[in-house]
Amino acid sequence: MYRHLSLPFLRRHRRFLSYAASALPRVPPYSPRPPPPPPPPQVHPALLPGHRSRHPTDPLSTAYDDPSSLLRDDPISICSALWVDSFRDPSATASSLTPLLRRLELWVLAYQKAYADETGSYLPKSSVPSSALHSLLALRNAVLDGRFRWGVRLDVLLRSPRDTTDPATLSKRKLRALLTSAQPPPFQDRVVQEVLLMILEPIFEARFSQKSFAFRPGRNAHTVIRTIRRSFAGYLWYIKGDLSTILDGLPTGLIINGLIRDVRDKKVVDLIKSALTTPVITGRPVDKEAAKKKKKRKYQKKRVLAEDEPKPDPYWLQTFFGFAPEEAEKQPNWGHCGALSPLLANVCLDELDKWMEGKIKEFYRPSKSDAIWTGDDVEQGNTSWPEFVPTSGPDKTRKMDYVRYGGHFLIGVRGPRADAAVLRKQLIEFCDQRYQLKLDNESLPIEHITKGIMFLDHVLCRRVVYPTLRYTATGGKIISEKGVGTLLSVTASLKQCIKQFRKLEFLKGDRDPDPQPCFRMFHATQAHTNAQMNKFLQTMAEWYRYADNRKKVVNFCSYIIRGSLAKLYAAKYKLRSRAKVYKIGSRNLSRPLKDKKGQSPEYQNLLRMGLLDSIDGLHYTRMSLVPEADYTPFPSGWRPDHEKFLLEYIRLLDPKTLEEQRCCLREEGLITPQDYVSLLVWNYKKNTLMLAPLGESNLFKVKEELLGSVSNETKDGMGDDEASVDALQAAHM
């Protein structure tokens, strides 16, 4: 039976075989086997020693073999109720979050989200396999019992849907590589992170400052640009700060202290603390110089994706990610927190936001003679034209504003430079005491608006304008005068755009940028290449939507892309020059370049039969085709749509709001639509039972009868006018 074992195998495992042989029990001489003992009596688990009894309503007391019995409620309803409760009382301390961790519905929803991120496809709740439900139940119980460990790679409770390998079948070399090299976070860790995020995000979103815009739902870089355009007009001095080193990591004590200010659930806090303190396997550092020296294979086979493997990001999306501004390049990733890291970063930086809000109120000094801010409210200003700042007249108002995007912030100060210097000194002391971050004057420069302030790849500058001011004088005479003022201009940085294109190897040179061929699309068809670049240009046009020079920048991007594709097609189809490509393929490269005669009849017939893909021309090849900049007014006190709906829903649920509406209706002498419809239906039923059916010719008689019957019955409370109106309407019915 051991013939299939080779001699080297036996030599290699000789020690193991000898140990196994010694461990075997000694076989006694043959003797008749005694009869088997009777089976032990069945004892209820509650009577066994060490058994911990649970409450009958505890989900953990449910049968382990049927996890579907725990799926009673809709997980979206549970999350919605948590959002409503958090926004109803934002100052309340969350002390009992463990019952939410027990809800298996949230774990199934987290599994669906992690599944979509892993495979790129949505998995309905009804399609979740039974094995996954059992694994989710085991994972939930491990988290609640304190047995869960972050970063486990072998003994996992929930495997990825793409992971089909069995660790027991792996060789020692593969096991060593799995345990010592850097690997993506385990799938079960991502599920736990999603559950914690669903529980903690609504709690902190109700408390966060309105001055922060990164890593939050409903807020993005466009919101920052529109806020700057509305609120930062009239500021002369700007302080631009970079706290991105905080996103690299903070001491665990600082993070936990910021967390327990609002969350006092020990199980949740301990779970996050273990995620921060558990070491992450990073593997050996990669030598970049040695990697560059490795020669690439001349001919590489095209890799075929597996059936369940998600497709990589398309080329246009990868290219646009290369245009990410400096403020959005760094994403926090602390320990094993993963998707929870951005929320924890905002929790820590929220102290800075609240501190700056106090400084804004403390710094505000209004002046009655100021043409911009005259009231006691800090947010009050020139709402008709917020970007316009008149230069004439006394300017004595001292004001300050602040926005933060991730680890970068911008402070605008209206007043002398000495005030900005004092604020900078206080800010350095605050960051040193709270975040143990050493800042200096060079890291927090104070710049004047005339030099141009770069933030999110947009330049803030001041432009002098001479508008015509018309007003009505005494006697009704209209007077027109030429005014002088400054306008806050938010323009896209063309220099930064060229820098990003150079980094992506689309061009070379600074003053006279020369497009370079995009060889990554060499093997793609002309239709596919044009479609990818059109998506990229549309995304760039959307990114520069609120820039004053949107037409110029987007047209420049189209010029670089068009020149790059022209050089690519010239090398691919051996047309020698870009001029030859434009002559055959037209200005927007919409004609096929395979046939040098242009759109031949054969091409049209194949296109009509669906055997060829239609070629879309490149967009924005002329500046007139680029859309205008969006100057839609940004309202003061703006909130995302989901927060507006939440606050409105909470207000409508308040009994005081309903009573106020009823009092208002009584004061105005109105009636609610529900009461009006009920009154009509009641009068109609009552009158149809009393009167006999009449013909259409007796309509006047019907009206008189209805008026008479209603007027006799409305003496107890209803006026004659209301009765006549209701009766006439009932008669028409």
Side-chain angles (χ1 to χ4, degrees), residues 335-352:
H336 293 278
C337 291
L340 202 61
S341 300
L343 178 65
L344 296 178
N346 274 334
V347 169
C348 297
L349 290 172
D350 186 62
E351 292 188 32
L352 174 63

Side-chain angles (χ1 to χ4, degrees), residues 29-98:
Y30 174 77
S31 61
R33 180 178 299 177
Q42 297 293 331
V43 182
H44 194 272
L47 301 178
L48 295 176
H51 175 75
R52 185 164 58 96
S53 61
R54 301 184 183 273
H55 194 270
T57 59
D58 190 353
L60 292 179
S61 64
T62 311
Y64 183 81
D65 296 334
D66 188 15
S68 59
S69 61
L70 300 176
L71 304 177
R72 294 184 294 268
D73 300 328
D74 183 20
I76 305 299
S77 302
I78 300 175
C79 294
S80 302
L82 182 59
W83 278 88
V84 171
D85 294 340
S86 301
F87 273 80
R88 180 181 285 113
D89 190 6
S91 60
T93 303
S95 57
S96 59
L97 298 179
T98 305

Side-chain angles (χ1 to χ4, degrees), residues 716-729:
D716 297 335
M718 186 175 177
D720 296 338
D721 296 336
E722 294 182 0
S724 61
V725 172
D726 294 337
L728 283 174
Q729 293 181 355

Side-chain angles (χ1 to χ4, degrees), residues 399-598:
K399 192 175 184 296
M400 178 174 60
D401 211 339
Y402 158 87
V403 291
R404 180 179 64 83
Y405 189 84
H408 297 255
F409 63 85
L410 184 67
I411 303 174
V413 179
R414 182 183 175 106
R417 189 183 185 278
D419 293 343
V422 172
L423 177 65
R424 178 175 62 180
K425 182 179 179 180
Q426 297 175 353
L427 185 60
I428 292 175
E429 295 176 355
F430 176 82
C431 292
D432 187 14
Q433 295 175 1
R434 179 62 188 89
Y435 303 116
Q436 301 176 5
L437 186 63
K438 303 295 182 181
L439 299 176
D440 53 7
N441 294 343
E442 294 183 358
S443 59
L444 297 175
I446 300 176
E447 299 179 353
H448 198 266
I449 185 62
T450 53
K451 294 185 178 180
I453 313 299
M454 175 80 73
F455 197 72
L456 288 173
D457 286 355
H458 287 69
V459 180
L460 313 180
C461 56
R462 188 172 61 175
R463 188 173 63 214
V464 180
V465 294
Y466 303 92
T468 302
L469 305 177
R470 294 183 176 87
Y471 59 92
T472 305
T474 56
K477 185 178 180 181
I478 299 177
I479 299 177
S480 300
E481 293 182 355
K482 276 287 185 180
V484 181
T486 57
L487 192 66
L488 181 65
S489 178
V490 182
T491 59
S493 175
L494 191 61
K495 181 179 179 181
Q496 191 73 10
C497 186
I498 294 175
K499 178 182 176 181
Q500 301 290 355
F501 267 122
R502 194 189 313 114
K503 185 175 67 174
L504 295 172
E505 299 180 355
F506 271 93
L507 57 82
K508 64 178 181 179
D510 291 333
R511 296 185 178 179
D512 298 324
D514 184 23
Q516 297 298 303
C518 177
F519 284 116
R520 286 191 60 182
M521 305 294 291
F522 187 84
H523 297 286
T525 61
Q526 183 181 354
H528 179 69
T529 304
N530 285 11
Q532 291 287 308
M533 291 307 172
N534 278 335
K535 292 180 181 179
F536 170 70
L537 289 174
Q538 290 173 359
T539 313
M540 293 298 295
E542 180 64 24
W543 166 239
Y544 293 119
R545 178 177 181 178
Y546 299 100
D548 293 339
N549 59 343
R550 182 187 187 186
K551 280 180 168 290
K552 180 179 179 180
V553 174
V554 176
N555 185 254
F556 173 77
C557 295
S558 177
Y559 162 74
I560 296 297
I561 296 297
R562 188 166 60 97
S564 176
L565 291 187
K567 286 190 174 182
L568 171 67
Y569 293 151
K572 183 176 181 179
Y573 299 113
K574 301 178 182 180
L575 299 177
R576 296 184 181 180
S577 65
R578 284 188 288 176
K580 193 76 171 177
V581 174
Y582 292 143
K583 183 178 180 180
I584 299 174
S586 74
R587 179 185 178 88
N588 59 356
L589 304 177
S590 60
R591 296 178 182 175
L593 294 170
K594 288 185 178 181
D595 190 357
K596 297 183 180 181
K597 297 181 181 179

